[in-house]
């Protein structure tokens, strides 16, 4: 049976990953920060773990509750957007910390905890964003979020080197998806975005390690 871990699975894209992998019969562990999120995971038949990735103690001790697991698929999805700026408006220190602590530091705490919990050839994805790509950037807006996703991409690249030969690690752009973050005017239904990403993950091979992918599998420049 496929064994899946989704970090940041209380709602939106993360919860949809849990729903679809459960519908396929996978054993799924999902994390959420509060009772409502944990309840939604249990309703789907997932194992529910309480985790706030911005909390140093919780995120740095994830290895304990996942001890003995061998995950075939891991998706680190937790993310926040932060201030919806249009120009070069400096974030406050609190805004900077809030976004960077979830999107970057949280992932840097979680990744080392996975070291002993990956099945051979596991697929590991971080949910990044095309907004973090410098290669395709032609517009600004949300520069703190963009900076955090560019930093997350760097973190993913290092993970792909550390886990090379054991796991295939990619950064994903999920598309512009109708969730609380994406809004009602977004292009993609969450079920379609996640179905695309699951298909892309399933098709990855060793040569794909350390790449940045659109939800449909197309390569995105860093
Ligand atoms: N939607 C889009 O168009 C879009 C586009 C590009 C990239 N993305 C990325 O896709 C990912 C999921 O986004 P979404 O659209 O599903 O957004 P969402 O509906 O706002 O959900 C965000 C998820 O992240 C979790 N989260 C936030 N802070 C956390 C923390 N400190 N610890 C643990 N979990 C935390 C939330 O949990 P709580 O319920 O506890 O807050 C929630 O499960 C994010 O990384 C986002 O940047 C989304």
């Amino acid at each position: 049976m496929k064994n899946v871990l989704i970090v940041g699975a209380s709602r939106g894209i993360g919860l949809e990953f849990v729903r679809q992998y459960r519908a396929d019969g996978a054993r799924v562990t999902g994390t959420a920060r509060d009772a409502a999120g944990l309840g939604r995971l249990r309703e789907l038949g997932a194992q529910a773990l309480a985790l706030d990735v911005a909390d140093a103690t919780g995120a740095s001790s994830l290895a304990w509750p996942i001890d003995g697991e061998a995950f075939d698929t891991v998706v680190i999805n937790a993310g926040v957007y932060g201030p919806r700026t249009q120009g070069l408006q400096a974030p406050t220190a609190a805004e900077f910390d809030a976004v960077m602590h979830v999107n970057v530091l949280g992932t840097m705490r979680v990744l080392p905890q996975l070291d002993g919990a990956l099945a051979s050839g596991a697929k590991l994805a971080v949910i990044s964003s095309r907004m973090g790509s410098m290669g395709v950037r032609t517009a600004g807006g949300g520069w703190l979020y963009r900076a955090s996703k560019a930093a997350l991409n760097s973190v993913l690249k290092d993970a792909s080197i550390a886990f090379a030969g054991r796991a295939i690690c990619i950064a994903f752009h999920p598309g512009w998806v109708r969730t609380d973050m994406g809004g009602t005017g977004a292009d993609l239904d969450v079920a379609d975005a996640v179905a695309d990403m699951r298909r892309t993950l399933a098709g990855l091979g060793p040569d794909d390690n350390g790449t940045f992918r659109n939800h449909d599998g197309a390569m995105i420049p860093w």
Side-chain angles (χ1 to χ4, degrees), residues 10-11 13 33 52-53 77 79 127-128 145 149 175 177 179:
S10 64
R11 56 195 167 94
I13 291 169
R33 289 193 290 181
D52 180 342
V53 300
N77 170 76
I127 306 300
S128 177
Y145 180 74
K149 293 299 190 180
V177 187
T179 61

Side-chain angles (χ1 to χ4, degrees), residues 165-191:
R166 298 164 53 201
I168 301 162
C169 304
I170 65 161
F172 253 137
H173 172 57
W176 184 22
V177 187
R178 289 189 291 277
T179 61
D180 292 339
M181 186 185 292
T184 52
D187 291 335
L188 275 177
D189 182 68
V190 67

Side-chain angles (χ1 to χ4, degrees), residues 72 74 111 118-126 153-172 200-213 217 219-220 222:
D72 306 290
V74 176
L111 282 167
L118 295 173
S120 174
K123 317 281 176 66
L124 187 158
V126 299
N153 287 349
S154 173
V155 164
L156 180 279
K157 195 74 191 180
D158 285 318
S160 75
I161 292 165
F163 292 141
R166 298 164 53 201
I168 301 162
C169 304
I170 65 161
F172 253 137
T200 297
L201 281 169
L204 294 176
D207 290 347
D208 300 312
N209 188 36
T211 56
F212 187 11
R213 298 302 180 112
M219 205 75 90
I220 299 177
W222 297 110

